[in-house]
């Protein structure tokens, strides 16, 4: 027999609490005289992600990093990093943060090992226990064999890797890297991003600035800056959809069938736009909401058509350089 307790509705299950952001920027503005550093900046970065900040030179990327690390103080708005206000005097926060600067700032007349050991001493690592930690870091950045070379004898890429090792010596939970791959070859850039993904996999959060737009693909979240303003914050795929108005299918038909195919595509409910390809005879770019849903339906439609022959049909993903240019052009048009 059911009791009154049995007849009570089940208690609602509370949704899991969202983790607090590791970075919170609210309405931050900083000017240098008449020049805008950043303006009305709003940004929240969750833990355990790689956040990439991209934009042309002078867009405000480095200024943003300096605000987040306490080098600069905002004139308006507020900043919280790991729940605290960043400043030069906040030693407790600095012990939880790692920083890889644009330029090599270590000691050129010390060896790789001496530089790393010196940074370890600053953070108070036990001198009798730090050896294993330092060797592990040198292995991580592939510098063990170069540990006795002087800083000024290292290549630019090796200096960047040493800077990364020094930023990690105290095992920070949040790592800032200001254009860490600038000026180094593509192979080494790929290795840096391998390091960053490994760090993310071990629970770290990374905030990386870059001018290499293609590196967007390595990030979990991306912010796009221009003239001190944060224009977009989204996933890499979200940015692509924003720039293109959806996802894109690339069709190639017989050149004589382009007009007929375009009209047929535009009449379909899943299609929002059709553009001709300038470089491919018979090429069309078809914009849809979801390519995985639309592609089979459009192929069925075209396959049943008596006079249209499909040569190629595939989801098209333009390079992020093109996406970035589109987003910048859109921002310029909105300023007019």
């Amino acid at each position: 027999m059911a009791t009154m307790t049995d007849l009570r509705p089940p208690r609602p299950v509370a949704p899991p609490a969202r983790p607090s952001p590791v970075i919170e920027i609210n309405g931050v503005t900083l000017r240098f005289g008449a020049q805008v550093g950043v303006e009305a900046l709003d940004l929240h970065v969750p833990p355990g992600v790689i956040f990439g900040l991209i934009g042309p030179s002078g867009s405000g990327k480095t200024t943003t990093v300096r605000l987040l690390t306490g080098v600069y103080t905002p004139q308006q708005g507020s900043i919280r990093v790991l729940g605290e206000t960043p400043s030069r005097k906040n030693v407790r926060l600095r012990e939880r943060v790692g920083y890889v600067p644009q330029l090599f700032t270590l000691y050129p007349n010390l060896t790789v090992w001496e530089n790393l050991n010196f940074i370890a001493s600053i953070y108070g690592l036990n001198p009798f226990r730090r050896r294993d930690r330092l060797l592990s870091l040198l292995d991580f950045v592939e510098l063990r064999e170069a540990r006795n070379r002087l800083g000024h004898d290292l290549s630019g890429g090796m200096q960047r890797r040493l800077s990364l090792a020094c930023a990690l010596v105290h095992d920070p939970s949040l790592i800032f890297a200001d254009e860490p791959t600038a000026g180094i070859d593509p192979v080494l850039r790929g290795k840096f991003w391998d390091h960053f993904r490994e760090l993310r996999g071990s629970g770290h959060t990374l905030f990386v600035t870059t001018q290499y737009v293609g590196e967007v693909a390595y990030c979990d979240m991306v912010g796009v800056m221009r003239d001190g303003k944060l224009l977009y914050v989204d996933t890499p795929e979200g940015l692509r959809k924003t720039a293109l108005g959806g996802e894109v299918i690339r069709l190639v038909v017989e050149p004589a069938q382009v007009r007929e195919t375009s009209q047929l595509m535009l009449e379909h409910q899943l299609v929002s736009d059709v553009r001709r390809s300038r470089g491919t005879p018979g090429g069309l770019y078809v914009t849809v909401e979801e390519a995985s849903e639309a592609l089979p339906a459009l192929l069925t439609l075209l396959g049943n058509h008596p006079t249209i022959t499909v040569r190629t049909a595939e989801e098209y993903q333009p390079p992020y350089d093109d996406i970035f240019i589109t987003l910048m052009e859109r921002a310029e048009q909105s300023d007019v």
Side-chain angles (χ1 to χ4, degrees):
M1 179 177 178
T3 65
M4 292 297 293
T5 302
D6 297 329
L7 297 176
R8 291 175 184 171
R11 293 182 179 180
V13 178
R18 291 185 178 181
S20 299
V22 295
I23 293 173
E24 299 177 81
I25 305 177
N26 297 301
V28 165
T29 294
L30 177 64
R31 296 185 176 90
F32 304 98
Q35 182 180 358
V36 174
V38 297
E39 184 175 1
L41 209 62
D42 288 295
L43 176 64
H44 289 191
V45 177
V49 302
I50 300 176
F51 182 89
L53 188 62
I54 65 170
S57 180
S59 61
K61 301 187 302 296
T62 296
T63 299
T64 301
V65 171
R66 291 176 177 172
L67 283 162
L68 291 169
T69 53
V71 177
Y72 293 155
T73 301
Q75 293 160 338
Q76 297 176 21
S78 63
I79 299 176
R80 303 284 286 178
V81 175
L82 296 172
E84 301 192 34
T85 301
S87 72
R88 294 177 184 268
K89 297 180 180 180
N90 193 332
V91 177
R92 182 173 61 179
L93 177 58
R94 292 173 65 182
E95 290 176 345
R96 302 170 62 196
V97 170
Y99 176 49
V100 183
Q102 284 189 39
L103 302 176
F104 184 69
T105 57
L106 300 172
Y107 295 94
N109 294 320
L110 295 182
T111 66
V112 168
W113 180 265
E114 289 168 342
N115 268 290
L116 195 56
N117 192 51
F118 176 70
I119 298 299
S121 69
I122 290 177
Y123 284 103
L125 271 69
N126 188 312
F128 300 104
R129 299 179 181 177
R130 73 174 65 147
R131 177 180 172 81
D132 288 345
R133 171 66 178 166
L134 301 191
L135 287 175
S136 175
L137 286 170
L138 289 177
D139 287 338
F140 180 68
V141 298
E142 302 177 24
L143 284 179
R144 183 189 276 243
E145 299 301 318
R147 62 185 180 276
N148 293 321
R149 291 176 61 176
L150 296 176
H152 63 66
D153 290 334
L154 302 175
S155 67
M158 295 173 78
Q159 289 179 344
R160 297 288 178 85
R161 282 184 279 158
L162 177 56
S163 295
L164 176 59
C166 289
L168 299 175
V169 74
H170 56 301
D171 194 24
S173 58
L174 172 61
I175 302 152
F176 293 101
D178 193 10
E179 301 199 19
T181 60
I184 60 178
D185 65 82
V187 173
L188 187 54
R189 290 211 305 267
K191 287 187 176 181
F192 257 88
W193 284 99
D194 288 341
H195 295 327
F196 293 158
R197 285 192 291 264
E198 188 172 342
L199 289 166
R200 177 195 58 191
S202 61
H204 297 79
T205 304
L206 295 100
F207 189 103
V208 184
T209 71
T210 179
Q211 291 187 47
Y212 297 109
V213 178
E215 293 182 342
V216 163
Y218 302 133
C219 302
D220 302 301
M221 295 177 61
V222 183
V224 180
M225 288 199 79
R226 174 179 173 269
D227 296 334
K229 297 180 181 179
L230 193 59
L231 304 179
Y232 305 95
V233 177
D234 210 331
T235 63
E237 186 56 36
L239 286 181
R240 194 192 301 273
K241 284 188 174 183
T242 297
L244 301 176
E247 297 183 348
V248 176
I249 294 171
R250 180 175 177 268
L251 290 176
V252 180
V253 298
E254 296 295 333
Q257 302 166 354
V258 166
R259 178 176 295 180
E260 185 179 13
T261 306
S262 297
Q263 293 175 346
L264 186 64
M265 292 293 96
L266 286 171
E267 292 171 359
H268 199 283
Q269 60 181 359
L270 296 178
V271 175
S272 58
D273 188 31
V274 178
R275 294 178 293 110
R276 291 194 180 191
S277 171
R278 296 179 180 177
T280 304
L284 292 170
Y285 294 112
V286 182
T287 304
V288 298
E289 180 66 25
E290 296 289 342
S292 60
E293 174 189 358
L295 185 55
L298 297 181
L299 283 176
T300 299
L301 175 66
L302 295 170
N304 292 332
H305 197 280
T307 62
I308 295 177
T309 301
V310 179
R311 293 179 176 177
T312 303
E314 61 186 0
E315 184 176 352
Y316 174 68
Q317 294 188 342
Y320 278 105
D321 293 81
D322 294 349
I323 299 301
F324 181 73
I325 291 171
T326 299
L327 294 175
M328 290 295 104
E329 290 175 345
R330 188 171 299 172
E332 290 177 4
Q333 292 170 0
S334 64
D335 290 342
V336 176

